[in-house]
Amino acid sequence: MVAHDEIGGLLPIKRTIRVLDVNNQSFREPEEPSNKRVRPLARVTSLANLISPVRNGAVRRFGQTIQSFTLRGDNRSPASAQKWSSRSTVPTPAKRRSSVLWSEMLDVSMKESLTTKEIKRQEAIYEMSRGEQDLIEDLKLARKAYHDPMLKLSIMSEEELTQIFGDLDAYIPLHEDLLARLGEATKPSGTIEQIGDILVNWLPGLNAYKGYCSNQLAAKALLDQKKQDPRVQDFLQRCLESPFSRKLDLWSFLDIPRSRLVKYPLLLKEILRHTPKDHPDVQLLEEAILIIQGVLSDINLKKGESECQYYIDKLEYLDEKQKDPRIEASKVLLCHGELKNKNGHKLYIFLFQDILVLTRPVTRNDRHSYQVYRQPIPVQELVLEDLQDGDVRMGGSFRGAFSNSDKAGY
């Protein structure tokens, strides 16, 4: 029997589980919208033509226009670029955002007056600023192009959309605040002399994302379920094929905040790397890095607890004897994944901090759950063994591997 997915190991006879790899995937970095400099595609000025016809005539009433403009590749000065106000009309991005480097907007005399190290430092600061602008853009687009049309056309209920989108709008002012602070610190030349104190004071506000990130698992599950509805699937497919989506599906937009969060440590380290050792920002940037690492740790912990409870709530017991208080008390789900024997029979296992639960996935009335198979096994009775990649032997059966005196229904 071979465990695939996140487990990736072997579970042979006599209640021995061999674990190849246990990965915490809460903050694994997916691909974000591409920032490659390419020629923008044609604009989309309305979403009305994307919606499938419906009997209530809502399409004809839906005429809100999303205007577009190119944020990168224009001829603005560095100062005006970093002082850009995110409160303007929501743009419809081109398929891929075009971009220019900070140094490419400098005049020759200004460029010659700066050292190579200072130019690289300003480039790193500018990259952070541009990322905030792009994030705000995408947060507004998620509501304007997806949430509002689906609500208006009754493609999804308000309750369903709230569960999927969460309080996404609430984070826009947070990132606009950082842009405003950076704008105030920007000199007429387009440079920012000190950024450390700005970041130290602003970064703790990212703790506000705890709730949003904790809800992502349930939100993704509901979205996947709703995609079985032809109207939902048709709407999302039309959006995906339109230039404003940049070939990103809805979940990519909803996952952008989490993806942005894990980039902050890298951005700060890049700024620090190009900051002279005698610069007053050095100590503050080091403090800022510790702050964001703490924020991510707290969010990750909260998200892990939420994921753990999500799966506990989906367990179904065939026998009262299967219920173990250690399951309900679990706060950490170490790993979970599919277990398969040589005959192709499958189980889905959950390794909590104190107990191993084996289940069979079942679906009733479009509700996915996990039916507990036999008796859960306390971790004290497990034999854990690390295996090298490829060191897997096929054989055995589920019945033999988990045979014991405390049999439950299976």
Side-chain angles (χ1 to χ4, degrees), residues 237-257:
Q237 183 62 34
R238 288 171 183 269
C239 288
L240 184 63
E241 294 170 356
S242 299
F244 72 80
S245 74
R246 309 194 303 279
K247 296 300 180 183
L248 297 172
D249 61 15
L250 172 56
W251 183 251
S252 296
F253 283 100
L254 296 177
D255 194 48
I256 282 174

Side-chain angles (χ1 to χ4, degrees), residues 120-178:
K120 289 182 178 179
R121 170 179 154 84
Q122 294 300 324
E123 292 280 17
I125 293 174
Y126 181 66
E127 182 181 353
M128 170 171 278
S129 176
R130 290 300 318 182
E132 292 300 299
Q133 294 175 21
D134 292 344
L135 175 60
I136 293 169
E137 226 180 272
D138 288 332
L139 293 181
K140 290 182 177 180
L141 182 64
R143 172 165 286 276
K144 190 92 172 181
Y146 293 92
H147 178 282
D148 291 352
M150 285 192 287
L151 179 61
K152 188 177 183 69
L153 299 172
S154 300
I155 293 176
M156 287 194 205
S157 69
E158 186 172 2
E159 181 180 353
E160 290 169 336
L161 290 170
T162 297
Q163 184 173 343
I164 292 173
F165 285 80
D167 49 356
L168 211 55
D169 287 353
Y171 306 116
I172 294 176
L174 175 65
H175 296 281
E176 287 178 333
D177 178 49
L178 178 57

Side-chain angles (χ1 to χ4, degrees), residues 350-362:
F350 298 94
L351 179 59
F352 299 100
Q353 75 262 32
D354 294 319
I355 196 164
L356 176 74
V357 182
L358 301 106
T359 70
R360 283 174 170 161
V362 295

Side-chain angles (χ1 to χ4, degrees), residues 43-45 65-69 90-94 137 141 243-245:
R43 301 176 181 177
V44 170
T45 57
T65 299
I66 299 181
Q67 298 180 357
S68 65
F69 59 85
V90 181
T92 299
E137 226 180 272
L141 182 64
F244 72 80
S245 74

Side-chain angles (χ1 to χ4, degrees), residues 340-406:
K340 183 170 65 175
N341 69 2
K342 64 179 180 180
N343 296 322
H345 299 143
K346 300 175 183 178
L347 292 179
Y348 201 90
I349 72 171
F350 298 94
L351 179 59
F352 299 100
Q353 75 262 32
D354 294 319
I355 196 164
L356 176 74
V357 182
L358 301 106
T359 70
R360 283 174 170 161
V362 295
T363 302
R364 295 189 185 90
N365 299 322
D366 294 329
R367 181 183 182 274
H368 300 288
S369 58
Y370 299 89
Q371 191 177 85
V372 176
Y373 174 87
R374 291 187 171 269
Q375 193 69 19
I377 306 172
V379 294
Q380 293 90 338
E381 299 180 30
L382 293 174
V383 178
L384 301 179
E385 180 179 343
D386 288 330
L387 297 179
Q388 297 297 320
D389 289 346
D391 185 12
V392 178
R393 296 184 295 275
M394 303 295 289
S397 66
F398 292 140
R399 184 184 295 271
F402 306 112
S403 177
N404 57 59
S405 58
D406 297 322

Side-chain angles (χ1 to χ4, degrees), residues 106-114:
L106 295 175
D107 57 47
V108 177
S109 60
M110 181 63 188
K111 192 170 184 178
E112 291 177 348
S113 68
L114 300 173

Side-chain angles (χ1 to χ4, degrees), residues 123-299:
E123 292 280 17
I125 293 174
Y126 181 66
E127 182 181 353
M128 170 171 278
S129 176
R130 290 300 318 182
E132 292 300 299
Q133 294 175 21
D134 292 344
L135 175 60
I136 293 169
E137 226 180 272
D138 288 332
L139 293 181
K140 290 182 177 180
L141 182 64
R143 172 165 286 276
K144 190 92 172 181
Y146 293 92
H147 178 282
D148 291 352
M150 285 192 287
L151 179 61
K152 188 177 183 69
L153 299 172
S154 300
I155 293 176
M156 287 194 205
S157 69
E158 186 172 2
E159 181 180 353
E160 290 169 336
L161 290 170
T162 297
Q163 184 173 343
I164 292 173
F165 285 80
D167 49 356
L168 211 55
D169 287 353
Y171 306 116
I172 294 176
L174 175 65
H175 296 281
E176 287 178 333
D177 178 49
L178 178 57
L179 276 184
R181 297 187 191 198
L182 294 176
E184 291 172 0
T186 303
K187 295 183 174 182
S189 61
T191 60
I192 295 179
E193 186 173 334
Q194 289 185 242
I195 192 176
D197 57 337
I198 295 175
L199 295 172
V200 166
N201 291 317
W202 181 81
L203 286 170
L206 293 176
N207 275 299
Y209 275 105
K210 283 182 182 179
Y212 182 81
C213 292
S214 297
N215 183 60
Q216 280 194 302
L217 183 62
K220 181 67 162 60
L222 177 58
L223 178 60
D224 289 343
Q225 178 184 334
K226 294 301 297 182
K227 285 181 180 178
Q228 304 305 313
D229 183 333
R231 291 190 67 209
V232 174
Q233 181 59 37
D234 181 63
F235 176 86
L236 295 179
Q237 183 62 34
R238 288 171 183 269
C239 288
L240 184 63
E241 294 170 356
S242 299
F244 72 80
S245 74
R246 309 194 303 279
K247 296 300 180 183
L248 297 172
D249 61 15
L250 172 56
W251 183 251
S252 296
F253 283 100
L254 296 177
D255 194 48
I256 282 174
R258 183 208 61 82
S259 181
R260 178 66 177 172
L261 286 173
V262 299
K263 279 197 168 183
Y264 283 117
L266 301 177
L267 292 168
L268 297 184
K269 289 176 182 178
E270 184 68 9
I271 297 173
L272 179 60
R273 188 164 72 93
H274 298 298
T275 300
K277 295 187 182 300
D278 59 348
H279 195 288
D281 259 354
V282 171
Q283 185 176 349
L284 290 168
L285 286 172
E286 290 173 345
E287 182 181 350
I289 291 172
L290 292 177
I291 290 174
I292 187 57
Q293 288 174 340
V295 169
L296 292 181
S297 178
D298 291 343
I299 293 177

